[in-house]
Amino acid sequence: MNSLLRKFAVTALSVTMVTSSYGLPGSSGAAYAAAEGTGVAQAYESLFQTDNVIDVKVTIDDADWKSMLESPLDKDYKKVSVEVDGHKLDNVGFSTKGNLTLKAVASMDDSDRYSFRLKFDKYDKTQTLLGLDKMVLNNNYADPSYMREVLHYEALRSIGMDVPMTNYVNLYVNGELVGFYTGIEAVDDSYLERNYGDDYKDGVLYDTEEKSYLQYEEGSDYSTITEDLGTDDNKTKLKNFIKTLNDMPEGEKGDIESVLDVDSALQYIAGNVVFGNYDSYNGDKGHNYMLYSDANGKFTVVPWDFNMSFNGYSGGGGRGTGTAGSTTTNTNATNVSIDQPVLGISMESVPMINNLLKVPEYKEKYLSYVNELTDYLEGIQDRITGLANVIRPDVEADPTKFYTTEQFESNIAYSANGDAAGGMGEGMTPPDGTTPQARPEGTVGTGATDTTAETGNTQRPGGNFGGGQGMGSMAAGSLTTFALNRLANLQEQLGREVTPLPETSENTSTDTSSGTTDKTISVTLDGRTIAFPDQDPLQESGRVMVPVNAILEALGAEVTWDKTAKTVTAVLNDRKFVLKIGSSTATVNGTPLEIDAPAIIKSSRTLVPVRFISEGLGLTVDWNQSAAQVRLTSK
């Protein structure tokens, strides 16, 4: 189904009406009124155009900022001033956010790239940002494409589902660019009012933790499902909903429509199976959705947290569907059967899927949503290309990104040899934040830890907001490769004409005209090869950039990293080098040294141009372009 493209402008002074339609693949933006017209249009909708990149500038007391970074798991709010796309507010709440991903980043010794939330009414209940009370800034953990959340929300919006709005954000803290983030409208009061109208306060919003499968348990208080807004004494409405869902006669509606907006559930289920999102109710985690009950106890499914959509999380891998007599097996997100839209869990374990889809009318409606979302997928390659063109400059400039620009490009490119089936790191699930990943041993320049005397903690040089320990292995597979393979599979299942997969040439090549090569660049020091286990040297803007700490360590230098100043300091013989991330000036024994490109961070490593190696360290440098080799010689 093709929906009408719409754009919508609104001011903070007067908002009276909005035309209801939905964004399409390739659209530059969309307005977001509730599908059934019951919601209240909000002035802040103008900030959330899908392809919009805005600046969010946070001013925070240095001590509070330091406290946040030192104790991120506390998720304590700090009082800040903020400017969002030119709109300034004081006394705003600012905190870290997340669960498993927050713990994962907190466990890294080389990155503080947390997700954050801004609560505009935290300290002044009458204050909002053009009507918005809360916004979250997601760090794109495990998603080198920066697109998974944005595209999934956009697709659900295209079939009429009420979902949070999105945009892109360059986040600045105290004047310094922290990173390029995905902005999401939080599911809070303003979201509920926008979608459900002025009477939303009479309802209750529930959030879900892992294993919120909605299975009826006599006497249970359903501890994994918690009240977020509003009050439901003894969870009476929630318990009634879960019991009614589980009591549905097989193949019949029963009383389910009195307690559930069935369309919202079917849309959510269809979106997860079409786009391979199994870090959800469709997978073994059984979370990442909310439930909003109106005053009468009728629940609506509210989707949340799509950063591992498009096969970012494979959810347990292959197993039988759990249906007696069935020979169909879901082995991965690419070929999951639309008739049994689960992965890593049996149909019987998730009654909101199993019981609803046994009703012929609901099954037919669900399949209509699958067809509409397949329509969306048919334009996905152009949509990805167009969105990449919008965000590419900001991705390249992102000083703290978990992945390199090259990984971004490969994640949005189609590869005939790519693994369309495997999720993160060949099926790995996200780390739980407790077990650091091992580093290679027995190689030169492996990035041995250095000890900070003041704290006693071990840290790797590479940046307070660096690329993240081992994040390269945690990257989801190519977004485009999965999307196009999934499209062909869905078309086959639905009996539609199958779109041929692109023809590609996977051969490596060298572009000598531009002075670049896609060969792996090697580095030798006095004839000995230096190993770079975390980040290879690369060419960027015509300059060869090399991981400096590995070279310094190979020379015997003592290397330390200052998290506050974001500087690498190295002491070698009688020389002291200080290099600040993002600066094109270094110092040698206090004397400024201009270098032809600023130091950058890639995959948690600090890279500098070869010129710094020659002028700063006094080494002779020879670059062999055809062999893609840097030879360093001590003088």
Side-chain angles (χ1 to χ4, degrees), residues 46 177 222 224 282 320 339 344 461 478 534 552 557-558 560 611 633:
S46 61
L177 177 62
Y222 301 104
T224 65
N282 294 53
D339 292 324
S478 166
D534 303 297
L552 289 168
E558 180 183 350
T560 57
R611 180 178 172 183
T633 306

Side-chain angles (χ1 to χ4, degrees), residues 26-59:
S27 66
S28 60
Y32 302 91
E36 296 181 359
T38 59
V40 177
Q42 299 284 359
Y44 67 80
E45 295 178 38
S46 61
L47 299 175
F48 286 96
Q49 303 303 311
T50 300
D51 295 8
N52 201 24
V53 179
I54 66 173
D55 289 342
V56 172
K57 301 176 180 179
V58 174
T59 302

